[in-house]
Amino acid sequence: MRGSYVATLHRANGLEIEPAFLAGQLSVVFLPWILSAIKHNFSFLKNKFGNFPYEAYLLLAFIVITLVLAKTTTGLVAIILTALIMVSDLRGPIQKFFIGAAVLALFLLGIAYFTLPRINGFLNNYLFAKGGFSASDRIGGTIGLFLTFLHYPLIGVGNGYIGHYLVEYVPRNTKLNIEYLWGFSHRYSVLSDWGGFFAQYGLLFFLPIVKKVRELFYNFRTQIVQDDLTFFVKDAAKYTMIIYSFLALFDFNWLSYYSLISIFVFVRFVQYRMDEKLVVKS
């Protein structure tokens, strides 16, 4: 199929080359701050707590609609994660409201799924029963990545050297399609960020990252002043890690500048508050 996703499949991809990359960008960079603002009643416009965050709700609605229009599994999973966060991590009347809204939305969506062919086709094509060559290659590629990791668990195969191993370890039955023969038989793309990370870098590179993330949240809890701003940023960091971890099962370009910067923001915030605390003590 020729042409852009927008022109041929009517999918929103923004300034990204893939709709999944747009979904990842919106979900990792913006959704965590919006969800935290809703939880802590922080107004972006007034830059203070204790105000009903109208703008956060408007931004949330805009992003959810954009994720739907992107028509990608990454975006639909991000919507599900957003709903789970809102019904499980918020507190008080707002949590009860979202629980009720979630139950109602599930009920209406269930009716629509079984009665409206357009909704049924949309959910099957992009979430429940993805089929076709693309789905086969993604499943096969993901299996191949984790099989590569199991063969080279400690240091992986190296950045950019995954293609040969994928062609070798991808299950044979997932190779029997035109897309694989024309596009992937010589250079298989990495279609799962977690799989690509483990296959290329191994556990020895992953464990220090886990240590740094644990250290970050330890500093959030114990090394800086526990005020409204700290709780607000800490929850944004928590939501970022949750969304990032789940979406990385798919492919949303985890090494992109916006993904890394969004994490370094939290690291720099903790460093700044720790320095601020030392200045006050002195």
Side-chain angles (χ1 to χ4, degrees):
M1 185 176 291
R2 298 178 180 179
S4 69
Y5 282 108
V6 176
T8 57
L9 299 177
H10 307 292
R11 300 170 68 180
N13 63 332
L15 299 178
E16 299 288 342
I17 61 174
E18 292 273 358
F21 293 173
L22 172 66
Q25 184 182 68
L26 294 175
S27 303
V28 171
V29 179
F30 298 103
L31 271 181
W33 293 98
I34 293 171
L35 292 172
S36 190
I38 291 173
K39 178 178 180 179
H40 296 283
N41 287 320
F42 176 76
S43 171
F44 294 117
L45 295 178
K46 296 181 180 180
N47 193 29
K48 64 179 183 179
F49 295 92
N51 292 268
F52 189 80
Y54 296 99
E55 66 278 12
Y57 284 96
L58 290 174
L59 289 170
L60 179 62
F62 174 77
I63 289 178
V64 169
I65 292 172
T66 304
L67 293 177
V68 172
L69 294 176
K71 300 178 183 177
T72 175
T73 303
T74 303
L76 297 181
V77 170
I79 293 174
I80 293 172
L81 291 174
T82 298
L84 290 175
I85 289 172
M86 297 183 81
V87 302
S88 64
D89 203 53
L90 302 187
R91 295 292 180 267
I94 193 66
Q95 183 187 40
K96 295 178 181 179
F97 170 79
F98 281 116
I99 290 176
V103 172
L104 178 61
L106 282 175
F107 175 74
L108 295 176
L109 190 61
I111 293 177
Y113 178 77
F114 291 107
T115 59
L116 300 177
R118 190 169 183 177
I119 299 298
N120 181 281
F122 176 83
L123 292 176
N124 282 338
N125 289 337
Y126 299 108
L127 187 63
F128 297 138
K130 292 186 68 172
F133 301 151
S134 180
S136 178
D137 288 328
R138 287 180 181 276
I139 294 172
T142 301
I143 294 173
L145 287 168
F146 283 101
L147 287 177
T148 302
F149 165 67
L150 292 176
H151 283 82
Y152 305 91
L154 294 180
I155 60 174
V157 299
N159 182 38
Y161 292 93
I162 195 68
H164 163 75
Y165 299 94
L166 276 178
V167 172
E168 180 179 353
Y169 292 126
V170 166
R172 182 177 181 276
N173 64 319
T174 64
K175 298 179 180 181
L176 303 177
N177 65 75
I178 296 175
E179 186 176 83
Y180 174 83
L181 296 174
W182 286 2
F184 291 148
S185 59
H186 301 292
R187 186 181 182 278
Y188 211 115
S189 298
V190 174
L191 302 175
S192 168
D193 287 338
W194 273 132
F197 182 92
F198 283 115
Q200 293 179 94
Y201 308 117
L203 286 175
L204 291 183
F205 193 80
F206 177 70
L207 293 179
I209 295 177
V210 174
K211 179 182 177 182
K212 285 297 182 182
V213 171
R214 292 185 61 184
E215 182 181 299
L216 171 66
F217 283 97
Y218 173 81
N219 290 335
F220 259 118
R221 292 193 306 270
T222 63
Q223 302 301 311
I224 62 178
V225 177
Q226 300 298 294
D227 56 8
D228 288 338
L229 182 59
T230 294
F231 295 135
F232 169 63
V233 178
K234 181 174 69 174
D235 278 329
K238 178 176 68 175
Y239 301 150
T240 298
M241 295 302 172
I242 292 172
I243 295 173
Y244 196 101
S245 298
F246 277 94
L247 293 191
L249 292 171
F250 309 100
D251 178 30
F252 73 94
N253 199 13
W254 71 276
L255 267 177
S256 62
Y257 67 92
Y258 56 76
S259 297
L260 298 180
I261 289 176
S262 65
I263 294 176
F264 289 139
V265 164
F266 303 118
V267 175
R268 186 67 191 100
F269 172 81
V270 170
Q271 291 174 343
Y272 175 78
R273 297 303 296 269
M274 289 174 69
D275 293 340
E276 186 181 58
K277 188 176 179 181
L278 290 175
V279 170
V280 171
K281 285 185 177 181
S282 63

